[in-house]
Every structure is written in C-alpha cells, then in structure tokens.
Amino acid sequence: SAVISQKPSRDICQRGTSLTIQCQVDSQVTMMFWYRQQPGQSLTLIATANQGSEATYESGFVIDKFPISRPNLTFSTLTVSNMSPEDSSIYLCSVDGQGRGEQYFGPGTRLTVT
Amino acid sequence: GQNIDQPTEMTATEGAIVQINCTYQTSGFNGLFWYQQHAGEAPTFLSYNVLDGLEEKGRFSSFLSRSKGYSYLLLKELQMKDSASYLCAVKDSNYQLIWGAGTKLIIKP
C-alpha cells in the first residue's frame, strides 16, 4: 500500500481567505482523489486529478472554488478558495491501490473557517 | 440514482460477534469495499469482494451477493479497538466509488 502525507494536518482560517493543501505519495500513481468529509458524514468526492490533464470535478464542485494542481505522479494540491464557514471539514486525498482498485488515504487536513 | 444503505449505528459487547449489513443499488458493479475509520483518522481498507461468497481475513469476514445487491461485514471476537465507523463502498460501471454513510460501531465491555 502507498504511504501518503498531507500538509497541513489542521488549520484555522478566516472567512474570505484561501488555503492550499498538499498531498505527497511515496510512489508514482496515475490517479489521485480529493474528498471532503464533514463531521459525522461519509466521504464526498470533490475531484479526480490525473497528471498532465485537467482535474475532473464532481457535481456541486467547481474549479474556481477548488482549483487542483497535479504537477507530477507523486504530488497534488487542492486549494479551498474564498472560504466560508460551510467549508469547515476534513479534506482527504487518496490514491488507487494496485489491482483491486481499493483506495488508500492520507491522514487528512482538518479545516476550520471562522 | 445510486444508493448505498447501512445502519447508522450498532452496539455490541466485547468478545461477541457483530454483522454490519450493506445494500446497494448502483449502475453496474465492479467490486465492493469495506473500510474502517476510527474517529479523527482516515479510512483504512479492510476487504474487497467482487464475486459472490465469503472472504475471510482473520477476525473479519465480508460476504457478497450480487443478485441481491447485498453485503455484510462480520467481526468476530470483538475488541474495544474495533469501535469505529465502517464504510461500505461500491465501484460502479464507470469504476467510480460510491460511498455509504457508514455504520458507527460501539463496543461495550
């Protein structure tokens, strides 16, 4: 299984500002995924990031609000732009495992917007 | 639409056995996954089923019936550390993961 790290692990941000979350994987992977998980809720996929192409966003998520970069096969960033308290959540990146398609998750970034 | 149903919460006793059910309606099927998520932590992969039947891995087993759109996760010899949320997820025809809301399992001494 891949080892995934995320930075920052947590942050408290003011309304209207932006935060960039970094995700680093210890091996090369084709697809990386960004999820949001609000307290007590399940996972909601924000977008899928492939290296060398535009990220694919799920319904309800747009590039202007959640721009994603994928400069190489081991790294991706998610920016939460113009934040509001409704963006307070845990943001998780994940990658596909080999073969069966299971996903492995980073430790998450706990974001609080005040 | 696509839907995955799991009980919201279950309670069991240390040392006992518990079965967590998952039913799904998805556009196509390319595998079912169970994940464990402790409070404040990321989900970790537990099991994978793509064919009907039982997959056993130590104290945990997972069962699948594709014709019934049904799976369960069986946890034996429960330990306090098994207190966590258990998430069921299905890969649909587009190989996209559809997630259930998760079942919070509370283990009592």
Side-chain angles (χ1 to χ4, degrees), chain B residues 6-104:
Chain B
Q6 306 178 233
T8 304
E9 187 174 296
M10 299 181 70
T11 302
T13 304
E14 189 176 17
I17 298 173
V18 71
Q19 177 175 312
I20 302 173
N21 294 326
C22 169
T23 58
Y24 63 90
Q25 300 93 39
T26 57
S27 55
F29 178 84
N30 281 296
L32 184 143
F33 302 82
W34 284 96
Y35 287 79
Q36 180 188 59
Q37 186 175 26
H38 286 103
E41 298 182 11
T44 56
F45 169 68
L46 282 179
S47 69
Y48 168 72
N49 295 73
V50 68
L51 299 176
D52 290 352
L54 189 68
E55 294 282 341
E56 298 186 79
K57 192 188 295 185
R59 294 189 298 115
F60 292 8
S61 303
S62 56
F63 172 83
L64 173 67
S65 169
R66 289 171 296 170
S67 63
K68 296 182 179 177
Y70 168 70
S71 173
Y72 66 73
L73 181 69
L74 191 72
L75 291 74
K76 302 176 185 175
E77 302 169 15
L78 284 170
Q79 302 175 10
M80 297 303 293
K81 68 178 182 179
D82 297 329
S83 292
S85 288
Y86 291 86
L87 306 173
C88 174
V90 172
K91 277 211 171 180
D92 67 11
S93 56
N94 294 321
Y95 291 89
Q96 180 161 337
L97 263 181
I98 312 301
W99 292 87
T103 298
K104 182 178 181 181

Side-chain angles (χ1 to χ4, degrees), chain A residues 70-93:
Chain A
R70 182 79 202 274
N72 58 53
L73 289 172
T74 63
F75 186 78
S76 178
T77 67
L78 170 76
T79 299
V80 186
S81 304
N82 188 25
M83 288 183 285
S84 67
E86 291 70 38
D87 295 318
S88 296
S89 189
I90 297 172
Y91 292 84
L92 296 146
C93 69

